[in-house]
Amino acid sequence: MTGDDDSIALVLNRLRRAHGQLGGVIAMIEQGRDCKDVVTQLAAVSKALDKAGFKIVATGLRQCLTGEAAEGQQPMTEAELEKLFLALA
């Protein structure tokens, strides 16, 4: 993934948070915790992953609109961005 340092840092933070939350879900299931608590935590993991994905798509869209791309890479086409966005929907 390419992009500005702030965008990359935000994505990495969200993914690290989701990683920790997923570990918590696994531990909760192993401990036999209440279904409601497990599902609530799992929903938080899903939301964190969605936010990371949308940030990646938004970064790609910005690069496409401004014509910016990493050295040696082509900006994403509209069709590629649409496919990525729909994959998250």
Side-chain angles (χ1 to χ4, degrees), residues 18-31 33 38 41 45:
H19 183 262
Q21 289 171 322
L22 184 56
V25 169
I26 292 168
M28 292 170 77
I29 291 171
E30 291 173 341
Q31 297 165 2
R33 296 276 300 270
V38 172
Q41 190 65 21
V45 172

Side-chain angles (χ1 to χ4, degrees), residues 34-87:
D34 183 60
C35 176
K36 179 182 173 190
D37 295 337
V38 172
V39 171
T40 299
Q41 190 65 21
L42 194 56
V45 172
S46 179
K47 188 172 182 177
L49 291 174
D50 286 345
K51 284 184 175 184
F54 285 124
K55 185 64 174 176
I56 291 169
V57 172
T59 299
L61 180 59
R62 185 177 60 243
Q63 289 172 350
C64 183
L65 291 174
T66 62
E68 297 173 13
E71 189 174 322
Q73 292 182 351
Q74 295 293 323
M76 282 189 269
T77 66
E78 182 178 336
E80 290 171 321
L81 286 168
E82 182 178 346
K83 185 176 179 180
L84 288 174
F85 182 78
L86 290 174

